[in-house]
Amino acid sequence: MRFDTVRETDPAVADALDAERERQNDTLAMIASENHASPAVMEAQGSALTNKYAEGYPGERYYGGCAHADEVEELAIERATELWGADHVNVQPHSGSQANMGVYLALLEPGDRILSLDLTHGGHLSHGHPANFAGQIYDVEQYEVDPETGYVDYEGLAATAETFDPDIVVSGYSAYPREVDFERIQAVADDVGAYHLADIAHITGLVAAGVHESPVGVADAVTGSTHKTIRSGRGGIIMCDEEHADAVDKAVFPGTQGGPLMHNVAGKAVGFAEALDPAFDAYAEQTVANARALADQLQARGLDLVSGGTDTHLVLVDLRPSHPDTTGKEVETALEDAGIVLNANTVPGETRSAFNPSGIRAGTPALTTRGFTESACREVADLIADVVDAPHDEAVVRAVSERVDELTDEYTLYD
Ligand code: DSN
């Protein structure tokens, strides 16, 4: 894709699109929620379905001309059902946050109580942060990770559930490197008569490949995003038992959304088919092996990891013990100058601000898509550690940048 047609009519946008493709080719994408979709997924997302309104569901649309929209949505549903094994799937949410909104609308009343993990401990805005709709519409209490271990404090969660009496318990996180014990959280929800929403936005691909425990069939509802570890078209998904199917569908449309983004649903369908190929299971396993290699080498270089390692696709570095005067933002900026793109992140017990926090989060889904294996990830850990040790040393940043150039040439992305 060279954006030749866009260039004829809109060179300014074509320049930006070309530059973004080059940026992705020439840098290491280590934002844990990002991945590189295949050319087939991107082509589907750029298709004529972007023009189509298809309010409703296959076979029951409010507009005419939906035959092909129906075909595509049915394929996405069929493939998602095969990947995750849910009774019912809704592929229309525009994003993971929209998927969560749909579940809340389906299962809760305004003012009901949500028990979820604190944002600075790895949770997500849509789990009830005061700046988010969920924190404004619902009554939110939060649980935390154990400050000693960095693992979810399951006992604290159970104790808070006893006193708070939530209507829903939310599991599944955005900056949590360890396997989530969905069965244990379900038991807490059962004890207090609450629903359980498992938000697997980050780990959809790991769950589909069987390298992380699945909450499907355990939790009342499972939400996810479709472009992270699962590497399909951009957007969200909801999975649930038949019991909640009708309420979930009505909550997505007409409850919280209008017309589905059918071009993105097409991208989901294409990406889900790719994920059904056995090669995807190997990809997901390699993603976790790469994150472990990254974690081991970062630790060998003296960096402190929340929870001491990872079971997933991401690591969370707490800079305070090893580099008390260096902030996550300083490291993020210096690494971007060197061609390694990750994000500054809050850490449990955060003592700085959300904009300039004490940690960095790094993930391996996109590097693994490029073909990186453990040895290359260990080298990337060394490059990151070099910059963490000297974020303002131009010679260090330049040396890392030169090595990144060699790595991106070796592990090619898009032609
Ligand atoms: N923005 C995503 C992440 O980086 O985790 C979550 O929505």
Side-chain angles (χ1 to χ4, degrees):
M1 285 179 285
R2 299 192 45 126
F3 314 111
D4 291 340
T5 316
V6 180
R7 184 164 298 287
E8 280 171 23
T9 59
D10 194 336
V13 169
D15 281 350
L17 296 178
D18 267 333
E20 173 59 14
R21 186 192 56 206
E22 290 308 312
R23 187 194 69 79
Q24 292 187 21
N25 271 328
D26 296 346
T27 57
L28 300 181
M30 296 191 73
I31 292 176
S33 46
E34 292 184 1
N35 209 330
H36 299 296
S38 70
V41 167
M42 291 196 290
E43 192 173 303
Q45 291 198 151
S47 66
L49 272 175
T50 193
N51 301 326
K52 188 70 197 102
Y53 265 119
E55 279 93 334
Y57 291 97
E60 298 175 321
R61 304 285 188 185
Y62 287 82
Y63 293 147
C66 288
H68 308 302
D70 280 5
E71 284 162 18
V72 163
E73 186 164 347
E74 276 163 358
L75 285 167
I77 290 169
E78 255 170 48
R79 293 167 183 177
T81 304
E82 203 175 334
L83 278 172
W84 289 284
D87 286 356
H88 180 74
V89 177
N90 186 309
V91 294
Q92 291 191 7
H94 302 333
S95 69
S97 289
Q98 290 292 124
N100 288 339
M101 189 183 234
V103 170
Y104 298 148
L105 187 72
L107 301 181
L108 304 178
E109 297 295 331
D112 274 0
R113 292 178 297 280
I114 296 177
L115 177 57
S116 59
L117 187 71
D118 186 279
L119 183 69
T120 61
H121 287 239
H124 189 256
L125 285 168
S126 65
H127 296 178
H129 190 275
N132 184 268
F133 77 92
Q136 295 173 21
I137 293 177
Y138 304 104
D139 179 10
V140 180
E141 183 62 74
Q142 305 222 277
Y143 58 97
E144 299 188 340
V145 299
D146 181 318
E148 296 303 317
T149 64
Y151 283 64
V152 166
D153 176 4
Y154 291 98
E155 286 176 14
L157 161 60
T160 307
E162 282 298 324
T163 53
F164 182 60
D165 190 22
D167 296 290
I168 196 164
V169 180
V170 181
S171 67
Y173 316 111
S174 287
Y176 183 69
R178 292 300 181 176
E179 176 114 10
V180 183
D181 192 341
F182 294 116
E183 302 260 2
R184 192 161 174 190
I185 295 177
Q186 182 62 43
V188 172
D190 285 342
D191 280 348
V192 297
Y195 291 119
H196 175 194
L197 162 62
D199 176 351
I200 60 167
H202 265 256
I203 56 170
T204 42
L206 309 185
V207 169
V211 300
H212 189 293
E213 180 196 343
S214 175
V216 174
V218 177
D220 296 281
V222 177
T223 53
S225 48
T226 50
H227 49 277
K228 294 182 174 123
T229 47
I230 190 68
R231 211 172 48 184
S232 78
R234 193 168 190 105
I237 189 168
I238 302 176
M239 297 173 258
C240 62
D241 294 342
E242 221 34 77
E243 181 191 353
H244 301 302
D246 200 37
V248 161
D249 285 353
K250 287 196 171 104
V252 173
F253 173 81
T256 57
Q257 296 186 170
L261 307 177
M262 287 311 304
H263 54 306
N264 281 1
V265 173
K268 292 174 192 181
V270 172
F272 293 164
E274 291 173 0
L276 282 165
D277 189 295
F280 185 83
D281 293 353
Y283 160 75
E285 280 163 25
Q286 188 65 55
T287 298
V288 175
N290 283 350
R292 289 207 167 109
L294 183 77
D296 289 348
Q297 190 59 21
L298 289 171
Q299 286 178 305
R301 290 289 302 265
L303 294 173
D304 199 80
L305 300 189
V306 174
S307 85
T310 184
D311 302 323
T312 64
H313 62 299
L314 70 83
V315 300
L316 187 58
V317 180
D318 186 345
L319 294 165
R320 292 172 302 183
S322 59
H323 298 74
D325 299 325
T326 305
T327 69
K329 204 70 185 173
E330 273 176 276
V331 171
E332 177 194 294
T333 304
L335 279 170
E336 184 169 354
D337 288 346
I340 298 177
V341 184
L342 46 65
N343 64 288
N345 214 94
T346 53
V347 290
E350 181 58 65
T351 41
R352 293 192 174 96
S353 70
F355 192 69
N356 192 10
S358 305
I360 51 171
R361 186 186 67 163
T364 53
L367 294 192
T368 310
T369 294
R370 286 185 93 121
F372 277 58
T373 54
E374 289 94 321
S375 56
C377 287
R378 274 191 289 275
E379 183 179 357
V380 170
D382 277 326
L383 297 176
I384 291 173
D386 288 349
V387 172
V388 170
D389 285 343
H392 302 294
D393 186 327
E394 285 178 17
V396 168
V397 172
R398 196 175 324 113
V400 170
S401 169
E402 282 166 12
R403 183 59 190 140
V404 168
D405 285 346
E406 289 168 1
L407 286 168
T408 55
D409 283 348
E410 187 180 342
Y411 297 91
T412 50
L413 181 55
Y414 300 124
D415 290 333

